Amino acid sequence: MFNTVRGMRDLLPIEAEKMRYIEQVSRELSKLYGYDEIITPVLESYDLLAAKTSEEIRERMYTFKDLGDRKVAMRPEFTASIARLISTKMRNEPKPMRFFSVGSLYRYDEPQYGRYREFWQSNYELFGSDRPEADAEILMLTNNLLERLELKNYLFKIGHTGILRGVLNQEGLDDEKQNSLRQLLDKKSWEEALEFALDTGVSQQCLGVLKSLLETKGEDVFNVLEGVKETVTKYEEAVCAVDNLWKIIELIKESGEKIELTVEAGFARGLEYYTGMIFEAYIPGLDIALGGGGRYDRLIEIFGGEPIPAVGVAQGIDRIALALTKQKVSTKLPKKKSIVVISVKEATMAKALELSSLLRKSGLLVEVAVMGRSISKALADANRRKIAYAVIIGPKELEQEKVVLREMKNSTQRTVLISKLTKEILKD
Ligand code: AMP
């Protein structure tokens, strides 16, 4: 007996339907916002993915040599592949460019609730604008997605990488040390993070500022930002970051968008390439992010392209599915009327196949009885599966170009002309 490989899952019909439903809503939304879908390969060169994915994710990539001795890896995120496209085939496209992608990603994470080694994301990225309205668009789009999915009480944690970076840059900390510190903060290891900062030799003033930033958060966003600005007043770059975040939130609020935001001054996301606003979405009682994103203005440059500012978000489809289950939101797509076509005799089976094709052409959901069961057993099975109609094909009726149409719900049946069958079903 074989089982799935550790961390890999089979998605059975109920789960698969939920995942595809979220995918469908995501795709519809991408069209409403003008994000064109692109499909990139699951397998990329190791060097591409290693170039700018964070150290933490890099270490957890599925990496191997293909038969041509190329070092390859399964994508742990979409952004590297899209950055590759933007810096090569699409380098001369007019800006802005808006792209949508959806698919599976692979990370050798420790499997746990909401964390899998194969998971799905829907991803929206906007290239070419460094303006706050682009950041606002990505946040509002995420807000709209969760709204369309009918999730309740969802909220956003929002911050700006420039706040910490501004402070640490002025203190002379190099990128590597800043990344290590950011990773500790991302894991919420506050004490360790402060100790690490102390070890790097930052000033007492800086340590005080860091401590205060880690404690500063709240839903009264402009008041919180006012406080953060005061805390970092001696660090010019950090002050600019606060102003930028202020502007983004102000745009969203003034547009009248209903959105729940909590500003967290010490918020850090795992991926190193963020340069500006960062955010994550949550629902109460589920302490794992449903999606997250932010601004990454230097990524394309790193891939050898011209500098192109960018902002984007990755929605975690698996986790949104968990959230929908937790909040008992129905994810069933409206079901079409379902019909089973049953042939009484083997001799009329070809006719059953022909009629089922005919009915499907009118958009009806049709199954053919394929188990060779007796009529009564086939009807009992149709009842069990809540099928709306049975079309029974017998040689006697067929001689007159007719079939029996049975309404399952009230067990009534009548003989109808084949030429009128579709109409008869659709009119009910
Ligand atoms: P990231 O690409 O790390 O910014 O993650 C974006 C979103 O993808 C997260 O907010 C999660 O919803 C989802 N996600 C990331 N890693 C996993 C995982 N191992 N399993 C399930 N979902 C994940």
Side-chain angles (χ1 to χ4, degrees), residues 57 76-77 107 109 114-117 119-121 269 271 274 280 289-293 314-319:
I57 292 182
E77 52 156 327
R107 294 182 194 168
D109 279 330
R115 188 169 291 283
Y116 315 107
R117 290 183 176 168
F119 60 98
W120 275 258
Q121 280 183 352
R269 297 207 69 226
L271 300 170
Y274 289 112
E280 278 174 354
L290 304 184
Q315 322 285 2
I317 294 182
D318 312 74
R319 292 200 186 164

Side-chain angles (χ1 to χ4, degrees), residues 352-404:
L353 294 175
E354 182 192 326
L355 278 188
S356 60
S357 293
L358 184 86
L359 293 170
R360 285 190 199 107
K361 282 197 178 122
S362 306
L364 292 162
L365 191 162
V366 187
E367 291 179 20
V368 176
V370 292
M371 299 298 289
R373 288 183 176 131
S374 67
I375 301 284
S376 61
K377 284 206 171 131
L379 289 175
D381 180 60
N383 255 335
R384 184 180 62 82
R385 289 190 297 123
K386 302 200 167 41
I387 284 178
Y389 295 95
V391 172
I392 304 163
I393 304 173
K396 247 186 10 220
E397 290 84 7
L398 212 50
E399 273 173 25
Q400 300 161 32
E401 289 292 307
K402 287 180 179 167
V403 290
V404 172

